[in-house]
Amino acid sequence: MPKEQRRENYEQSLGAWRARLQATNQTRKPLIEKVTNTWREDEKFRVAEECDTKEPNFCDLDDENSFPSLSVKAIRSRRFRRMFAVLVLVSVGMYYIWTRHIRPSVQEGWELKQGFLPAQVNGTYGVAKGGHFDGVRIKDIDATYVPGGNKDPEGNRRLIFVGDIHGCKDELKHLLKKVDFNSKTDHLVATGDVVSKGPHSPGVLDLLIHYGAESVRGNHEDRLLEAAKTLSGSDNKRDDAMSTSKGYSKDAELLKELKPHHMRFLHDMPLMLRIPALPFATSSWRKDKHNIAEETIVIHAGLVPHVPLERQDPYFVMNMRSIDHKTHVPSALRETKKGNSKPWMHIWNWYNNRLAKGRSIKGFHIWSYAEWLNQRVTGSWISNSWSSMSKKQPQPQPQVAVYGHDSKMGLQMHRWSKGLDTGCASGGKLTAMVLDAKGKTEIVQVKCDSYRT
C-alpha cells in the first residue's frame, strides 16, 4: 500500500476515534444529574407544600375528600346546624336549671341545716317573755274521737278541722252543713281565734260547746283571758291596759257578753292538741302530699322544728309567723330587721321531710334559748355541747302541724303543715279540712261577709 494511502487511513481512524471520545466525554455527567424524580409526578405521592404532613391529600383544599373540605362540608350541612342548635339549647337549659333551681335548692338546704347545728342558737323557750301561761300546754285527743281507733273499728269517724272562725257564727253553721257534719261520727276541732272581730262570738262558743268541739288557744282567746284578769284587778291596772293595749277596749266590751261557761271553755283550751297516727292510714308522702298518716299537732300559730313540744314557748305557739333560719328564733312578724326571716312552716316542712326520708339528724341540738344563754354565761357551753352531741338520742318521728292565725298567707296545704286561716272575718272564706280514717283530707270552704270596722 502506498505510503500516502496508509497516512490517509490513519488520519481517518484517528478522526473517528476522536469523534467517539468526544461523544463519550459528553455523556459522562455527575450521578446527581442522572436523578429524574419522576415519582413526583405520580398523583398518589403528591403532597401540598404548605402542609407539614405525610398523609396524602390531608390539607388539599381542592380535594373534596381532604380534611378541610370535609370539615367545611359538615359545618355547612343542615344536620350539623340542627345538632349545634340542639346542643346550645340543652346547654342553656341546663345552665338555667342549675342557676334557678338546683343551686338555690342546694344552697337553701345547707343554710337551713346550719340552723340546727350546735354552733347556732336553737330553741325558743323563754325568749318571748309573753307572760305566764296558766292553761293546759299539751292535750291528747280522747281516743273516742280518733278515726279508725279502738273505739271506731269500722273507720266511720271523721275529724273536722276549722280555721279561724272569729265570731262568724252563720258562716260556721253553713260550713258544718256543707260538710254534712254528724255529731255522732264527727268531731270538730278549731285552730283557735274562734272569737273577736265577727258579730257573734258568744254564739260561736255556744255552738262549739253544744257539739262537744275542741279548740286550741289562739292569741285572741289568750288576750281575752289576760283582759279578764286586768278587769278584775285595780283601777290603775285597767287604766294602764286601756292606754297600752290596742284592742283592750274591744276585748272589754266582748267580755261583757260572755258568760261563765264561755270563760271556762276559753280557759280550758289547750295550747296544743295532739292526735295520734291513724291506724288505717298508710304513709304515702311520696304519692299524695295531702294525706295524713303521722301524728298531728294542732296549734294556732306555729312550732319551732326540733324543739320538744313541752319546751315550745307559749307566746310563739300562739303568735308565730316567721323564724330566723340561722338562729331558729321565731317572731310574730313576717319580716325581721335582720332579714333572715322565713315563714316558720317552710323550715318545719324541710325538717319533717328530712325525718320522713330517714336522713340523719345527728349533731342537731335541742337546747332552749334560755339554757343556751345560761351555759354560755357559766362557761360550760363547749363541754355541754359535746355531751349533748355524744349522747345517743332517739330519732324523732315526723309530725303534721295543723294551724291558723296567718290569713294573709291564705290556705296552705303542704305535706307536713296545713294552714286553714282564710280570712273569714275580713270577707274571705271559712275553711274546713275533713280527715277520714284512711288519712285522706278534703278541703271545704264557704264565703264570708266582711266585718271590718
Side-chain angles (χ1 to χ4, degrees):
M1 179 180 294
K3 183 177 181 180
E4 290 80 6
Q5 183 67 34
R6 289 198 300 271
R7 185 176 181 83
E8 183 179 354
N9 292 340
Y10 173 77
E11 290 178 354
Q12 289 178 355
S13 299
L14 182 61
W17 179 81
R18 287 178 177 175
R20 289 196 301 270
L21 180 60
Q22 184 177 4
T24 301
N25 290 337
Q26 289 178 353
T27 58
R28 289 180 179 179
K29 296 180 180 180
L31 292 176
I32 190 63
E33 295 184 5
K34 295 183 179 181
V35 178
T36 60
N37 288 334
T38 57
W39 60 272
R40 292 176 179 269
E41 299 177 0
D42 193 335
E43 183 68 21
K44 65 179 181 179
F45 292 112
R46 182 182 299 171
V47 179
E49 294 181 358
E50 67 276 9
C51 182
D52 189 20
T53 179
K54 295 181 180 180
E55 186 172 346
N57 300 324
F58 186 79
C59 295
D60 190 355
L61 298 179
D62 294 331
D63 187 355
E64 293 183 355
N65 295 322
S66 66
F67 178 77
S69 299
L70 292 176
S71 300
V72 172
K73 185 177 180 180
I75 293 173
R76 291 178 177 177
S77 67
R78 182 174 299 178
R79 174 182 289 183
F80 178 84
R81 290 198 296 268
R82 285 199 300 264
M83 292 177 61
F84 182 77
V86 170
L87 180 62
V88 171
L89 289 176
V90 171
S91 300
V92 172
M94 292 179 65
Y95 178 77
Y96 176 83
I97 293 173
W98 166 254
T99 56
R100 294 298 183 93
H101 298 284
I102 299 178
R103 185 175 66 180
S105 178
V106 172
Q107 183 176 359
E108 182 184 43
W110 172 251
E111 291 178 352
L112 291 177
K113 183 179 179 180
Q114 296 306 297
F116 291 95
L117 300 181
Q120 301 295 341
V121 186
N122 191 14
T124 67
Y125 193 86
V127 177
K129 299 179 181 179
H132 175 67
F133 183 80
D134 59 353
V136 178
R137 291 179 180 271
I138 306 171
K139 179 182 178 182
D140 292 303
I141 194 171
D142 192 300
T144 305
Y145 303 130
V146 178
N150 295 333
K151 305 293 185 179
D152 181 37
E154 301 296 327
N156 295 322
R157 296 202 64 88
R158 300 186 303 173
L159 290 175
I160 313 296
F161 300 93
V162 180
D164 297 24
I165 303 170
H166 277 302
C168 300
K169 178 183 176 181
D170 295 338
E171 288 83 354
L172 177 59
K173 292 174 67 176
H174 184 194
L175 182 63
L176 294 178
K177 183 178 181 180
K178 193 171 182 178
V179 300
D180 296 324
F181 181 80
N182 184 346
S183 59
K184 293 182 180 180
T185 57
D186 299 334
H187 185 57
L188 183 60
V189 179
T191 61
D193 278 5
V194 300
V195 296
S196 301
K197 295 185 179 181
H200 303 298
S201 292
V204 169
L205 292 175
D206 286 333
L207 201 59
L208 295 177
I209 294 171
H210 172 73
Y211 285 127
E214 294 183 88
S215 175
V216 294
R217 185 185 294 191
N219 58 304
H220 280 271
E221 286 84 19
D222 193 59
R223 199 174 71 181
L224 273 177
L225 293 171
E226 290 297 319
K229 294 178 183 178
T230 305
L231 287 172
S232 63
S234 64
D235 293 338
N236 291 334
K237 288 185 178 181
R238 288 196 295 271
D239 293 340
D240 291 341
M242 292 186 67
S243 61
T244 58
S245 178
K246 181 179 179 181
Y248 179 80
S249 58
K250 292 183 179 180
D251 292 339
E253 290 298 320
L254 177 56
L255 285 170
K256 295 178 181 179
E257 302 178 32
L258 300 182
K259 302 296 188 287
H261 66 283
H262 295 147
M263 298 304 297
R264 285 194 299 269
F265 185 78
L266 292 177
H267 185 271
D268 291 343
M269 288 180 175
L271 186 66
M272 292 170 269
L273 180 65
R274 183 163 48 196
I275 302 169
L278 305 183
F280 292 171
T282 57
S283 181
S284 58
W285 64 273
R286 286 185 177 88
K287 298 179 180 178
D288 191 345
K289 68 178 182 179
H290 299 302
N291 284 10
I292 298 178
E294 296 76 16
E295 181 179 81
T296 301
I297 308 298
V298 184
I299 67 282
H300 177 61
L303 294 168
V304 179
H306 200 53
V307 174
L309 296 181
E310 60 273 10
R311 306 308 302 271
Q312 297 282 340
D313 192 299
Y315 174 82
F316 286 125
V317 174
M318 295 182 289
N319 293 274
M320 182 192 311
R321 286 191 175 93
S322 66
I323 294 181
D324 187 304
H325 74 273
K326 292 184 177 180
T327 63
H328 286 191
V329 174
S331 172
L333 304 175
R334 290 182 178 83
E335 293 289 340
T336 60
K337 294 181 179 179
K338 292 183 179 180
N340 296 322
S341 300
K342 288 185 177 295
W344 73 271
M345 76 289 299
H346 185 84
I347 302 178
W348 174 269
N349 293 337
W350 179 88
Y351 173 73
N352 282 277
N353 196 52
R354 187 183 182 93
L355 295 181
K357 291 181 178 180
R359 301 185 63 183
S360 173
I361 58 170
K362 184 178 180 181
F364 288 18
H365 70 104
I366 56 176
W367 290 341
S368 71
Y369 185 74
E371 288 173 318
W372 183 83
L373 288 178
N374 181 59
Q375 291 173 356
R376 190 178 184 185
V377 171
T378 57
S380 58
W381 178 79
I382 297 178
S383 61
N384 286 323
S385 174
W386 176 257
S387 176
S388 175
M389 291 176 61
S390 61
K391 291 180 181 178
K392 188 175 181 181
Q393 301 290 341
Q395 180 84 354
Q397 298 300 310
Q399 298 170 313
V400 177
V402 179
Y403 65 99
H405 185 59
D406 201 344
S407 60
K408 288 189 177 181
M409 291 288 289
L411 181 65
Q412 296 289 313
M413 294 296 290
H414 304 284
R415 178 64 186 89
W416 305 108
S417 60
K418 319 289 185 183
L420 304 181
D421 185 7
T422 46
C424 182
S426 302
K429 297 179 180 180
L430 185 60
T431 299
M433 182 180 72
V434 182
L435 177 66
D436 66 14
K438 294 183 179 180
K440 294 183 178 180
T441 61
E442 179 187 3
I443 296 298
V444 181
Q445 296 179 316
V446 296
K447 189 71 177 66
C448 302
D449 294 328
S450 178
Y451 301 105
R452 287 182 176 179
T453 56

